[in-house]
Amino acid sequence: MTAPAPDQDSGVARVVCEQLAPRVGELAHNKELALDAVRRARSERADIVVLPELATSGYVFADRDEARRTAITPDDVFFTDVARLLAGTRTVVVLGFCEDGGHTLYNSAAVLDADGVRAVYRKTHLWDRETLFFTPGEQMAPVVATPHGRIGVLICYDLEFPEMPRRLATAGADLIAVPTNWPLEEHPACERPAEIVQAQAAARANGVYIACADRSGTERGQAWTQGTAVINQYGWLTATAATRHRAVTDVFLHLSRDKSLSPYNDLLRDRRTDLYAQESPQL
């Protein structure tokens, strides 16, 4: 049964992170997979939808030529099709795609609404074999104003660098959407995967919501963490995709604008920026 929609005037936003299993190199299939996910999220009256990294292309490319065959530009009809699905709604979609930048390829994420592409972010920190195919972006990640709050965007490995979520927090992000493909690594049975711990720490350190859309399936022998999750501004998990390949939760994003920890402490005002540029004494 479809859950009732949040009251549009209450400030509550429904976040849906879809954990998809795209097929490497199969552009047409992956486009339809993403469109189906948007249709499904819309049927659940989602306000913010996050899909995985490189959702339209797959990840484990055999070579640069295979990556290029799946590359699209932000003007591709696919994005028009997504916007058409959002017609008459205030839904915002964030999804990863292989971007055709002419002579270069980028591991990118697009932010879309019913009016089309609002922003494109090119991943600035490339992981492992990504460096064989992609050029790192040269622009800081954006913060996009939406009816539901201000959405920042990072992609996968970007989140490992504390400067990235901190910069988005200081730029006013209420939520950081993170399309990701987290390769499965061993971890103690009693612990969450390190990538989820990292995301929780980033949310807590910056007082922002974080929504991570991981992927599923196995691609050319590579298994995935399947760590899709929504984390609140205190660093706690509020939804995961453990049972149905999607994380769905209702959040009040404006709560992230209150950075107070106690009557005397504030996450951002307490920073000692006067010290951070100093060199540490060598004792």
Side-chain angles (χ1 to χ4, degrees):
M1 181 171 63
T2 301
D7 183 342
Q8 293 287 5
D9 296 322
S10 70
V12 177
R14 176 160 298 161
V15 179
V16 176
C17 295
E18 281 272 356
Q19 188 166 274
L20 305 179
R23 299 175 186 169
V24 64
E26 297 188 23
L27 181 59
H29 169 84
N30 296 333
K31 284 181 174 181
E32 191 56 40
L33 191 70
L35 291 171
D36 280 345
V38 174
R39 293 185 189 101
R40 194 159 46 244
R42 180 174 174 177
S43 74
E44 294 193 343
R45 301 184 182 183
D47 296 302
I48 299 168
V49 183
V50 188
L51 305 185
E53 178 181 12
L54 296 174
T56 59
S57 64
Y59 185 91
V60 186
F61 302 114
D63 51 41
R64 186 177 174 81
D65 287 341
E66 183 175 54
R68 180 163 289 284
R69 287 194 295 272
T70 64
I72 57 177
T73 70
D75 295 326
D76 191 88
V77 66
F78 166 71
F79 295 109
T80 303
D81 291 341
V82 174
R84 188 176 296 116
L85 288 178
L86 304 179
T89 76
R90 301 194 297 178
T91 303
V92 179
V93 175
V94 182
L95 62 88
F97 70 105
C98 179
E99 183 186 356
D100 181 354
H103 296 298
T104 56
L105 300 178
Y106 297 99
N107 182 340
S108 297
V111 182
L112 305 94
D113 60 19
D115 292 326
V117 175
R118 294 280 310 280
V120 172
Y121 167 61
R122 294 168 171 174
K123 187 177 183 179
T124 53
H125 300 84
L126 301 180
W127 171 255
D128 198 36
R129 293 182 72 251
E130 290 176 31
T131 58
L132 302 178
F133 315 118
F134 298 115
T135 297
E138 295 294 334
Q139 298 293 322
M140 182 56 197
V143 175
V144 180
T146 79
H148 317 294
R150 299 180 295 234
I151 300 176
V153 183
L154 297 176
I155 301 174
C156 200
Y157 189 42
D158 287 329
L159 196 57
E160 300 287 330
F161 297 85
E163 298 88 346
M164 297 296 282
R166 173 52 56 88
R167 183 65 187 88
L168 292 178
T170 60
D174 300 313
L175 174 141
I176 300 175
V178 187
T180 188
N181 285 179
W182 284 328
L184 180 63
E185 297 181 352
E186 290 187 8
H187 61 276
C190 60
E191 299 284 357
R192 294 190 179 98
E195 295 88 348
I196 296 177
V197 174
Q198 179 78 37
Q200 290 182 266
R204 182 176 180 85
N206 295 289
V208 297
Y209 291 87
I210 294 183
C212 302
D214 198 5
R215 62 161 294 170
S216 59
T218 299
E219 190 174 273
R220 291 180 172 160
Q222 177 63 64
W224 309 97
T225 298
Q226 301 186 72
T228 297
V230 181
I231 302 160
N232 72 14
Q233 79 277 27
Y234 301 116
W236 301 118
L237 292 170
T238 62
T240 69
T243 58
R244 54 176 187 151
H245 295 289
R246 53 154 51 102
V248 181
T249 187
D250 293 340
V251 299
F252 189 81
L253 294 184
H254 288 73
L255 289 176
S256 66
R257 299 182 185 181
D258 179 4
K259 304 297 184 183
S260 61
L261 300 175
S262 80
Y264 308 102
N265 296 103
D266 182 282
L267 272 172
L268 297 186
R269 286 202 303 267
D270 287 349
R271 293 176 301 141
R272 289 295 306 275
T273 55
D274 57 318
L275 299 181
Y276 301 154
Q278 294 183 15
E279 293 188 10
S280 295
Q282 302 297 310
L283 304 177

